[in-house]
Amino acid sequence: MAGGVRRKSPGSPSPLWGKLHTLWQDKHLVLFKTEYTLLVVSVLWFLEIGFNAWVIQKVAYTEIDWKAYMDEVEGVINGTYDYTELKGDTGPLVYPAGFVYIFTVLYYITSHGVNIRLAQYLFAAFYLITLLLVFRIYHRTKKVPPYVFFFVCCASYRIHSIFVLRLFNDPVAMMLLFGAINLFMDGHWTLGCGLYSLAVSVKMNVLLFAPGLLFLLISEFGLIRTIPKLSLCAGIQLLLGLPFLLENPVGYMSQAFDLGRQFMFKWTVNWRFLPEWLFLDRYFHLILLASHLLALLLFALRRWKRPGESIFDLLKDPSKRKAPAQKTTVDHILFSHLV
């Protein structure tokens, strides 16, 4: 148009503006729609940084096992490799060799275990890493509403206590375990098995996840191709424990992997409602073990196979099974490890 001013046509809104606009419209659903999980867990994770710092500064540290851990690894540093002679304030060393190496590093970082405040911040870092790994697992399932993650972290007094107020070795073992599960989700089975074995080497209770992992490996690879991965797990245990096995193999195996260990009633949480005499009774322990094995058997026969298939069909190579092998999903991995 002559002599006129050409007006600029309004452009389309930017993708960022569109997302913000949608977020504002759905603000009442942010805590319920899984598409907002990443936003919610990001906010929670950054809140946890400040909350952990506040807990460390304001809540009294509880000494239970840290000094004993330091005494135990100090014995190794001083040249004692016989597990039966390694002791701390709470009794003998009862954790596998990976525990010794990791806590030896922590021993030196924290000035021979004296700098408790630094140790607390290190364990806060372990907690934040673990939280990211757990968030990623449940985010991948796309089935957990975002509000649930608040109860996973911020609302849990016990989880903060275990990590930053008591400095147990459980946080290190579980951080490695959740790292392994993330690797399994991404299809890195060999690396995942290696990390899983490292988790076992920190605390034996991680072996409780072994049946689920064995099922996943056999489902994914069949029996023959599973053997090398199991060999890797065993090889890592052998390599880590070698200095102690050479010194006193029976002492190491009986201390680090003592399946008959008697736990003290005063430390239990889950079974606090029982009378102490029942908690300490060996028949009660056998009933629990039998119940656990029965549950695993029922899952193997009823849930860990397709209808009409034999459980033994899983032992075959996936390419030779009657029915085509199903792709292992995040749900399968998570469910198998929770069982």
Side-chain angles (χ1 to χ4, degrees), residues 31-44:
L31 296 179
F32 298 93
K33 297 180 69 172
T34 57
E35 63 193 78
Y36 294 118
T37 295
L38 193 57
L39 171 65
V40 172
V41 298
S42 298
V43 172
L44 289 175

Side-chain angles (χ1 to χ4, degrees), residues 215 218 299-301 304-305 309-315:
F215 161 71
I218 291 177
F299 270 94
L301 296 175
W304 287 353
K305 64 180 183 66
E309 280 187 342
S310 166
I311 190 68
F312 296 105
D313 288 337
L314 292 174
L315 302 180

Side-chain angles (χ1 to χ4, degrees), residues 207-260:
L207 280 173
L208 291 171
F209 295 87
L213 175 57
L214 178 62
F215 161 71
L216 288 172
L217 290 173
I218 291 177
S219 297
E220 185 76 9
F221 301 104
L223 178 62
I224 300 301
R225 291 171 57 201
T226 293
I227 292 175
K229 292 175 173 50
L230 297 180
S231 300
L232 173 65
C233 292
I236 289 174
Q237 296 300 320
L238 181 63
L239 181 63
L240 293 174
L242 191 59
F244 309 102
L245 290 168
L246 291 174
E247 183 69 24
N248 182 353
V250 175
Y252 176 72
M253 294 301 297
S254 63
Q255 293 284 103
F257 297 97
D258 182 8
L259 297 176

Side-chain angles (χ1 to χ4, degrees), residues 25-272:
Q25 288 182 319
D26 291 348
K27 58 184 180 296
H28 59 293
L29 296 176
V30 166
L31 296 179
F32 298 93
K33 297 180 69 172
T34 57
E35 63 193 78
Y36 294 118
T37 295
L38 193 57
L39 171 65
V40 172
V41 298
S42 298
V43 172
L44 289 175
W45 191 78
F46 281 104
L47 286 175
E48 278 287 354
I49 295 175
F51 185 63
N52 275 270
W54 181 86
V55 169
I56 292 170
Q57 293 294 329
K58 299 297 183 180
V59 182
Y61 161 75
T62 305
E63 173 56 52
I64 296 180
D65 282 339
W66 175 259
K67 187 177 184 303
Y69 294 163
M70 296 298 101
D71 290 341
E72 290 159 1
V73 300
E74 192 171 50
V76 178
I77 293 169
N78 292 334
T80 302
Y81 292 97
D82 186 341
Y83 249 59
T84 61
E85 297 180 9
L86 294 169
K87 296 178 174 61
D89 284 352
T90 57
L93 173 57
V94 293
Y95 305 117
F99 161 87
V100 174
Y101 301 129
I102 291 173
F103 277 80
T104 296
V105 174
L106 294 174
Y107 173 88
Y108 284 116
I109 292 176
T110 59
S111 304
H112 298 189
V114 174
N115 193 340
I116 301 296
R117 184 55 54 83
L118 177 57
Q120 287 183 281
Y121 279 108
L122 289 172
F123 273 75
F126 296 158
Y127 171 70
L128 292 169
I129 293 170
T130 303
L131 205 56
L132 281 178
L133 294 170
V134 172
F135 283 165
R136 184 173 185 266
I137 291 170
Y138 285 105
H139 174 57
R140 290 280 298 274
T141 68
K142 301 186 184 303
K143 293 181 179 179
V144 181
Y147 73 85
V148 171
F149 294 98
F150 173 81
F151 299 100
V152 170
C153 55
C154 298
S156 174
Y157 169 80
R158 188 182 180 194
I159 195 73
H160 293 95
S161 176
I162 289 173
F163 274 84
V164 300
L165 294 180
R166 302 189 178 185
L167 308 181
F168 288 149
N169 63 338
D170 304 72
V172 180
M174 296 310 293
M175 179 177 64
L176 294 171
L177 173 67
F178 286 125
I181 293 175
N182 273 267
L183 287 172
F184 296 146
M185 290 193 309
D186 294 335
H188 303 302
W189 293 94
T190 301
L191 285 175
C193 286
L195 201 59
Y196 172 79
S197 186
L198 287 177
V200 173
S201 77
V202 175
K203 194 164 186 178
M204 186 184 66
N205 63 354
V206 180
L207 280 173
L208 291 171
F209 295 87
L213 175 57
L214 178 62
F215 161 71
L216 288 172
L217 290 173
I218 291 177
S219 297
E220 185 76 9
F221 301 104
L223 178 62
I224 300 301
R225 291 171 57 201
T226 293
I227 292 175
K229 292 175 173 50
L230 297 180
S231 300
L232 173 65
C233 292
I236 289 174
Q237 296 300 320
L238 181 63
L239 181 63
L240 293 174
L242 191 59
F244 309 102
L245 290 168
L246 291 174
E247 183 69 24
N248 182 353
V250 175
Y252 176 72
M253 294 301 297
S254 63
Q255 293 284 103
F257 297 97
D258 182 8
L259 297 176
R261 187 181 309 152
Q262 176 66 67
F263 294 96
M264 299 178 68
F265 179 73
K266 67 178 181 178
W267 299 125
T268 185
V269 174
N270 297 328
W271 298 103
R272 178 65 62 183

